[in-house]
Amino acid sequence: MVKKPAVVVLGAGYGGLMATVKLQKLLHPNEADIVLVNKNDYHYETTWLHEASAGTLHHDRVRYRIRDVVNTNRVKFIQDTVEEIKADEQKVILAGGELHYDYLVIALGGESETFGIQGLKEHALSITNVNMARKIREHIEYQFATYKAEDEKREELLTIVVGGAGFTGIEFLGELVNRVPELCEEYDIDPKKVKIICVEAAPVILPGFDPELVNYAVSLLEKKGVEFRISTPIKECTPEGVVVGKGENETELIKAGTVIWAAGVRGNSVIEKSGFENMRGRVKVDMYLRMPGHENIFVIGDCSLVINEETNRPYPPTAQIAMQQGEHTAKNIAALIRNQELDDFVFDNKGTVCSLGEKDAVAIVFGKKLTGFKAAFMKKVVDNRALYLVGGLPLVLKKGKFKLL
Amino acid sequence: MVKKPAVVVLGAGYGGLMATVKLQKLLHPNEADIVLVNKNDYHYETTWLHEASAGTLHHDRVRYRIRDVVNTNRVKFIQDTVEEIKADEQKVILAGGELHYDYLVIALGGESETFGIQGLKEHALSITNVNMARKIREHIEYQFATYKAEDEKREELLTIVVGGAGFTGIEFLGELVNRVPELCEEYDIDPKKVKIICVEAAPVILPGFDPELVNYAVSLLEKKGVEFRISTPIKECTPEGVVVGKGENETELIKAGTVIWAAGVRGNSVIEKSGFENMRGRVKVDMYLRMPGHENIFVIGDCSLVINEETNRPYPPTAQIAMQQGEHTAKNIAALIRNQELDDFVFDNKGTVCSLGEKDAVAIVFGKKLTGFKAAFMKKVVDNRALYLVGGLPLVLKKGKFKLL
């Protein structure tokens, strides 16, 4: 009997899980062994984490068991942490052992990028995974509880600074403005005492997005109490709050009980550790999504860098592109195993939705601008579609968003 | 028209609220004006706070609006903080003004007693009111969330030290052992990693209580994971945990993310500030519950000290005695106004219940020992009875505990 090739997928995020699900469909058990490695025994919806972080959606609603969507008779699932990839030996170093591969899919996801800003790692919280999301939810609630229990009132405990006005920052703000009134009710606090400040180093909000939709988002959030401070870089984060730049040489301390860092995403540090050529943990892949110089390694999701030829700039890392890459990679690996020709990857941008709480959003879908409840509806359709693509109707019914209007 | 006398009640705890409710029934509007002063616009059930603190009962279930039980056409309610009583001028100094009285009921409640132990005020949490209860609930939950989100695990975040094995400490532990499995589920934490340690300086648990019932309580709590360390005084509380005495001269640091101080209750500091003779904020009242030397001032609840003539020691401050004092004081004030004779106060001890979570307890009721679900049932009867005495059936229906078994 000829030894079957081993296809190893690292990471069960949007890209890795999609690749695994498609591989288990495409490849006959005689063609290859499939192995999936992931830190947790669950997948989580990164694009829903802002809701779990604000506390508007329970974290069990944003995750599901890998075993519920992956056929574990067909795919060997290993719960472990990837430490390094040794490409010259065709093996992966895990915290708990080693793993040989013939074909590798690197889908390890991104990490928070702090750009070397002092104190950010220690004192700010990033919306990166389920563990952090529930910590953020509890952190904010603990500040409110503490404020109310102290005799000498420290108003800054009720100040929340959000660093970054990109998609993550804006979507988190959209949830936060809905959550704060609930917290004020729970802790008998006057809502007027709460401050939500969004600090952004760039001179724009939602860079690259349609200006009309940006205006809609900003005025809605401002109406609900958010103060925007653009062109305002964070210089340092301290236990008291953030020090921001003001004009040429001045700085200002904004005292805040909670600092959320939502301004930077980078690739994965395993990429760097493994000695691959990269830009902040991201690999510029070839037209087939392969690592240059390694015909059997595919890189997808937040670790891969694909150039948009229209703008000559990389596509931003989104769930949409990761899932398309996952599906495409599964097909290309099947082709490689069968000695067939590979297909180029072409990103099919179906649009972008930025939610502003449960009942509002801004969106461009198939080239059309949407705001308000129509856009919010689209957001839920997009969310349910992601579930459908991975787990079919059963997963949509189990984890989907049904309050569509 | 002759000026009506002003009856002023300070505090809307068990004693003060009972006195007010009875006064509004006993006194005709022509006989006196009644004024009630309280810090909050709600009354809370001090004897249920351990549940709100553990997170097993929402704090809105342990409180109700004063306006729901006091007739505000008859009683003037002032929401303010009492700062001092000037007995020689017959006035009360509030944070927001002054108040004249002809008859005064001091029912300001107790405070936490830290016996001068260093760091306890800063780093330990006491189950004293609604604000602290919800802070304790959130503090514990935040430790669990933080533990799970950190890469380098600090097991001590999952350690909860309860200082004191009196009624408050034991009842809190009873709730905590039920809450911890829920928290472990919520944060994906192995329950074996959680430590609950009860530290008590005295060589006994539940001092003064029936030894057989104490054994029942201890073995139940131990079975559910509580570690008891008796004859172990807390020497100091630090941000890391507690330093306890060990043998003659040694000490030991117990690292803990949460330290609950449930070992000491004293009277109110307003008593001391006002220059009344007192023992740790408590006034040894006369047979009519009056302040010695002041025929128009009654002191009830945790601020009053009544000697049990059988044991020649003061009765412990409980809700039961406070409510009886409140009712008795209302009658004596009516008698004073009507120039009738006053009645002696005699405490009618109906029994003691110590809950051990929702479904278990130990009790002595009318001289009979009870354990298990029968005692837990009695606890709920006692809780509902307290509601009934103040607000009648409507309040029981609104705030009562109906899962009686």
Side-chain angles (χ1 to χ4, degrees):
Chain A
M1 208 181 91
V2 182
K3 210 182 158 291
K4 283 185 285 178
V7 181
V8 173
V9 180
L10 304 181
Y14 290 105
L17 197 56
M18 184 58 113
T20 305
V21 167
K22 292 295 169 189
L23 282 167
Q24 79 183 4
K25 271 192 196 167
L26 285 173
L27 292 176
H28 190 276
N30 291 337
E31 286 183 292
D33 292 323
I34 307 170
V35 180
L36 173 64
V37 180
N38 197 55
K39 198 185 280 186
N40 307 303
D41 62 355
Y42 56 84
H43 162 88
Y44 57 87
E45 307 281 338
T46 308
T47 59
W48 305 9
L49 281 181
H50 60 280
E51 296 171 67
S53 302
T56 47
L57 188 71
H58 192 267
H59 58 263
D60 281 338
R61 291 287 310 283
V62 315
R63 64 176 174 175
Y64 51 82
R65 300 272 155 216
I66 288 168
R67 287 170 199 280
D68 287 349
V69 293
V70 166
N71 175 1
T72 47
N73 291 321
R74 177 71 187 93
V75 176
K76 185 179 176 194
F77 173 60
I78 298 174
Q79 188 180 342
D80 207 335
T81 304
V82 176
E83 298 196 330
E84 196 186 335
I85 296 152
K86 298 206 164 173
D88 46 350
E89 302 173 44
Q90 289 193 199
K91 69 183 185 187
V92 179
I93 311 298
L94 306 174
E98 291 185 5
L99 201 58
H100 164 80
Y101 65 82
D102 295 296
Y103 301 96
L104 186 67
V105 182
I106 302 177
L108 288 165
E111 292 171 359
S112 178
E113 170 64 270
T114 55
F115 303 113
I117 298 170
Q118 219 185 322
L120 219 44
K121 237 178 196 158
E122 295 77 11
H123 308 301
L125 302 164
S126 286
I127 304 169
T128 46
N129 54 40
V130 169
N131 292 336
M132 282 307 293
R134 53 192 168 193
K135 169 151 182 176
I136 289 168
R137 177 192 73 192
E138 290 307 313
H139 182 91
I140 293 171
E141 190 154 358
Y142 186 54
Q143 305 305 308
F144 277 62
T146 300
Y147 169 82
K148 190 65 187 182
E150 287 182 349
D151 287 330
E152 305 236 335
K153 295 299 179 210
R154 290 183 289 158
E155 310 279 329
E156 64 266 29
L157 294 183
L158 303 179
T159 298
I160 302 167
V161 167
V162 176
F167 277 83
T168 306
I170 295 297
E171 290 199 310
F172 178 67
L173 288 166
E175 300 298 323
L176 206 54
V177 292
N178 289 345
R179 177 66 178 142
V180 161
E182 294 175 0
L183 286 170
C184 289
E185 175 84 21
E186 176 77 2
Y187 295 98
D188 308 322
I189 290 170
D190 178 359
K192 287 192 208 88
K193 293 198 177 293
V194 179
K195 274 193 203 162
I196 303 174
I197 304 169
C198 179
V199 176
E200 168 61 56
V204 284
I205 289 164
L206 290 175
F209 206 52
D210 179 85
E212 195 186 329
L213 297 180
V214 173
N215 281 345
Y216 181 95
V218 169
S219 73
L220 182 140
L221 292 173
E222 281 182 340
K223 217 173 287 168
K224 291 192 170 187
V226 176
E227 182 190 339
F228 284 96
R229 297 185 58 173
I230 57 168
S231 303
T232 304
I234 293 181
K235 298 286 188 188
E236 192 188 340
C237 188
T238 75
E240 281 74 45
V242 288
V243 179
V244 295
K246 206 180 165 184
E248 284 288 300
N249 299 306
E250 275 177 82
T251 61
E252 178 192 345
L253 171 67
I254 305 176
K255 286 191 178 186
T258 304
V259 179
I260 306 296
W261 179 243
V265 181
R266 65 191 311 288
N268 202 289
S269 51
V270 168
I271 297 287
E272 287 149 321
K273 225 173 165 183
S274 305
F276 299 124
E277 205 184 315
N278 72 88
M279 293 160 70
R280 295 188 179 274
R282 301 179 77 191
V283 174
K284 196 175 158 186
V285 291
D286 69 14
M287 62 205 290
Y288 307 120
L289 300 176
R290 289 190 296 194
M291 172 96 69
H294 297 269
E295 300 209 329
N296 59 340
I297 302 182
F298 292 79
V299 190
I300 63 177
D302 292 359
C303 294
S304 86
L305 210 146
V306 178
I307 299 297
N308 179 349
E309 290 183 1
E310 281 178 38
T311 61
N312 206 25
R313 294 189 53 189
Y315 286 113
T318 62
Q320 189 184 183
I321 195 169
M323 292 182 88
Q324 290 182 20
Q325 289 178 319
E327 185 170 6
H328 193 84
T329 295
K331 285 181 193 163
N332 272 347
I333 286 178
L336 273 180
I337 289 172
R338 294 163 186 165
N339 283 313
Q340 296 166 346
E341 278 199 16
L342 301 190
D343 267 341
D344 293 8
F345 174 74
V346 182
F347 176 45
D348 173 22
N349 189 353
K350 296 189 192 324
T352 308
V353 192
C354 177
S355 75
L356 301 165
E358 202 201 340
K359 292 176 181 161
D360 217 322
V362 285
I364 295 191
V365 185
F366 298 116
K368 217 182 137 189
K369 290 186 207 177
L370 295 174
T371 60
F373 75 89
K374 284 184 196 169
F377 176 84
M378 275 316 298
K379 174 74 176 179
K380 294 190 179 85
V381 169
V382 167
D383 287 347
N384 289 342
R385 190 179 131 81
L387 293 172
Y388 181 78
L389 289 174
V390 171
L393 202 56
L395 191 61
V396 177
L397 291 175
K398 199 169 166 187
K399 294 285 176 177
K401 293 181 172 174
F402 298 112
K403 273 173 68 181
L404 290 177
L405 280 183
Chain B
M1 208 183 92
V2 182
K3 209 184 156 297
K4 283 184 285 180
V7 182
V8 173
V9 180
L10 304 181
Y14 290 105
L17 196 56
M18 184 60 115
T20 306
V21 167
K22 292 294 168 189
L23 281 167
Q24 80 182 3
K25 272 193 198 167
L26 285 173
L27 292 175
H28 191 274
N30 291 336
E31 287 184 291
D33 292 323
I34 307 170
V35 180
L36 173 63
V37 180
N38 197 55
K39 198 185 283 188
N40 307 304
D41 63 355
Y42 57 84
H43 162 88
Y44 57 86
E45 307 282 338
T46 309
T47 60
W48 307 9
L49 281 181
H50 60 280
E51 296 171 68
S53 303
T56 48
L57 188 72
H58 191 266
H59 58 262
D60 281 337
R61 291 285 311 281
V62 315
R63 63 177 177 176
Y64 50 83
R65 301 271 155 216
I66 287 167
R67 287 170 200 280
D68 287 350
V69 293
V70 166
N71 175 2
T72 47
N73 292 322
R74 178 69 189 94
V75 176
K76 186 179 175 193
F77 172 60
I78 298 175
Q79 188 181 342
D80 208 335
T81 303
V82 176
E83 296 197 331
E84 194 185 336
I85 297 152
K86 298 206 165 174
D88 47 350
E89 301 173 45
Q90 289 191 198
K91 70 182 186 190
V92 180
I93 311 298
L94 305 174
E98 291 185 7
L99 201 57
H100 163 82
Y101 66 82
D102 294 297
Y103 302 96
L104 186 67
V105 182
I106 302 177
L108 288 165
E111 291 171 2
S112 178
E113 170 64 273
T114 54
F115 304 113
I117 298 170
Q118 220 186 322
L120 220 43
K121 238 179 196 158
E122 295 78 10
H123 308 299
L125 303 164
S126 286
I127 303 168
T128 45
N129 54 41
V130 169
N131 292 336
M132 282 307 293
R134 53 192 168 192
K135 169 150 182 176
I136 289 169
R137 176 192 73 192
E138 290 306 314
H139 181 91
I140 294 171
E141 191 154 357
Y142 186 54
Q143 305 306 308
F144 278 62
T146 300
Y147 169 82
K148 190 64 188 183
E150 288 181 349
D151 287 330
E152 306 236 333
K153 295 298 180 209
R154 290 183 289 158
E155 310 278 329
E156 63 266 29
L157 295 183
L158 303 179
T159 297
I160 302 166
V161 166
V162 176
F167 276 83
T168 307
I170 295 297
E171 289 199 312
F172 178 67
L173 287 166
E175 299 299 323
L176 205 53
V177 293
N178 290 345
R179 177 67 179 140
V180 161
E182 293 175 359
L183 286 170
C184 288
E185 175 83 21
E186 177 75 1
Y187 294 98
D188 308 323
I189 289 170
D190 178 1
K192 288 191 207 91
K193 293 198 177 293
V194 179
K195 275 192 201 163
I196 303 174
I197 304 169
C198 179
V199 176
E200 168 62 55
V204 283
I205 288 164
L206 291 174
F209 205 51
D210 179 85
E212 194 186 331
L213 297 180
V214 173
N215 281 347
Y216 182 94
V218 169
S219 72
L220 182 139
L221 292 173
E222 282 182 338
K223 216 171 289 168
K224 290 191 170 188
V226 176
E227 181 190 339
F228 283 97
R229 298 186 56 173
I230 58 168
S231 303
T232 304
I234 293 180
K235 299 285 186 189
E236 193 188 342
C237 189
T238 74
E240 280 75 45
V242 289
V243 179
V244 296
K246 205 179 166 186
E248 284 288 300
N249 300 307
E250 275 176 83
T251 61
E252 177 192 345
L253 169 67
I254 304 175
K255 285 191 178 186
T258 305
V259 179
I260 306 296
W261 179 242
V265 181
R266 66 193 307 289
N268 202 292
S269 51
V270 168
I271 297 286
E272 288 149 320
K273 224 171 164 184
S274 304
F276 301 125
E277 205 183 314
N278 73 87
M279 294 160 69
R280 295 188 179 275
R282 302 179 76 190
V283 175
K284 196 174 159 185
V285 292
D286 71 13
M287 60 205 293
Y288 308 119
L289 299 176
R290 290 190 298 195
M291 172 95 69
H294 297 270
E295 300 210 330
N296 60 342
I297 301 181
F298 292 79
V299 189
I300 64 178
D302 292 358
C303 295
S304 87
L305 209 145
V306 179
I307 300 295
N308 177 350
E309 290 183 1
E310 281 179 38
T311 61
N312 206 28
R313 296 189 52 187
Y315 285 112
T318 62
Q320 189 183 184
I321 196 168
M323 293 182 87
Q324 290 182 20
Q325 289 177 320
E327 185 169 7
H328 193 85
T329 294
K331 285 182 192 160
N332 272 347
I333 286 177
L336 273 179
I337 289 172
R338 293 162 187 166
N339 282 315
Q340 296 165 348
E341 278 199 14
L342 301 191
D343 267 341
D344 294 7
F345 174 74
V346 181
F347 175 46
D348 173 21
N349 189 353
K350 298 192 193 320
T352 307
V353 192
C354 177
S355 74
L356 302 165
E358 202 200 339
K359 291 177 181 160
D360 217 322
V362 286
I364 294 191
V365 185
F366 298 117
K368 216 182 139 189
K369 292 185 207 178
L370 294 176
T371 59
F373 75 89
K374 284 184 195 169
F377 176 85
M378 276 315 299
K379 175 73 177 182
K380 294 191 178 85
V381 170
V382 167
D383 287 347
N384 288 342
R385 189 178 131 82
L387 293 172
Y388 181 79
L389 290 173
V390 171
L393 202 54
L395 191 61
V396 177
L397 292 175
K398 202 170 164 186
K399 294 287 176 177
K401 294 181 173 176
F402 299 112
K403 271 173 68 181
L404 291 174
L405 281 185

